[in-house]
Amino acid sequence: MSDKKKILVTGGSGYIGSHTCVALMEAGYDVVVIDNLSNSEPWVMDRIGEICGRRPEFCEMDLQDREGVRKFFSDHKGLDGVIHFAASKAVGDSVANPLKYYRNNLGSLVNLLEGVLENGIRSMVFSSSCTVYGQPDELPVTEDAPIKRAESPYGNTKQISEEILADTQ
């Protein structure tokens, strides 16, 4: 059993997720990745292994699979935290396919939160977006900017996700 803290990174084979995995591993963390590979490639785990000298543990899974998420948490006790990047993210595609974004981004978050809460994981980082501020009054956008109506289903899923997180703290 490792003394290192273990972090789950969802969407860990994507661009931001994979770079986060490298930074965590270089800082001494053990990393477990969940990714459905819908917007990435499995060889990314090999590349992380080349960079870090060890691969993160990888679980190919869709977070929309509630039972799969439950099984994952049952099989992976002792997680110290979660960084949640997994989401559909293209604004234009979200306008063309809004239900895909609501189902994936919100359903995945709810399933993940159930696992986090049921397993007493106290640390979670959620990757949001400046789209939660709608059309800003001024640039650059800061966290003090008023939240306005989202201009896309993608942005709306990020707004709703932040509300879900606030309600489940």
Side-chain angles (χ1 to χ4, degrees):
M1 187 88 180
S2 175
D3 292 343
K4 296 178 184 179
K5 291 197 175 211
K6 187 181 288 188
I7 306 297
L8 168 61
V9 180
T10 69
S13 65
Y15 182 78
I16 295 171
S18 63
H19 284 75
T20 300
C21 289
V22 168
L24 287 167
M25 292 174 74
E26 287 180 340
Y29 291 89
D30 283 333
V31 173
V32 181
V33 170
I34 290 178
D35 203 302
N36 68 3
L37 301 175
S38 65
N39 198 29
S40 58
E41 299 292 334
W43 57 259
V44 172
M45 295 297 108
D46 295 331
R47 185 67 182 118
I48 293 170
E50 291 171 12
I51 293 167
C52 297
R54 60 189 169 101
R55 283 175 48 110
E57 181 180 340
F58 179 71
C59 179
E60 183 176 350
M61 180 176 56
D62 192 325
L63 290 171
Q64 293 182 76
D65 176 1
R66 185 177 188 197
E67 290 309 312
V69 172
R70 283 189 169 166
K71 181 168 179 5
F72 171 86
F73 279 103
S74 175
D75 293 346
H76 291 83
K77 299 293 184 190
L79 291 168
D80 295 290
V82 175
I83 302 176
H84 183 47
F85 292 119
S88 298
K89 64 184 183 326
V91 171
D93 185 49
S94 79
V95 173
N97 301 292
L99 294 180
K100 168 186 164 186
Y101 280 71
Y102 288 110
R103 181 177 293 111
N104 184 50
N105 294 2
L106 300 177
S108 294
L109 175 63
V110 168
N111 291 342
L112 183 65
L113 278 173
E114 286 176 340
V116 165
L117 295 171
E118 288 169 6
N119 289 279
I121 299 168
R122 299 178 47 95
S123 297
M124 182 170 167
V125 174
F126 172 71
S127 179
S128 192
S129 169
C130 69
T131 62
V132 300
Y133 298 104
Q135 188 62 37
D137 294 328
E138 58 185 60
L139 296 174
V141 175
T142 69
E143 290 184 3
D144 296 323
I147 294 176
K148 297 180 177 183
R149 179 173 168 76
E151 295 191 352
S152 70
Y154 165 73
N156 199 31
T157 67
K158 291 298 185 172
Q159 284 181 341
I160 294 167
S161 292
E162 289 192 9
E163 292 172 6
I164 290 169
L165 288 161
D167 288 344
T168 57
Q169 296 191 57

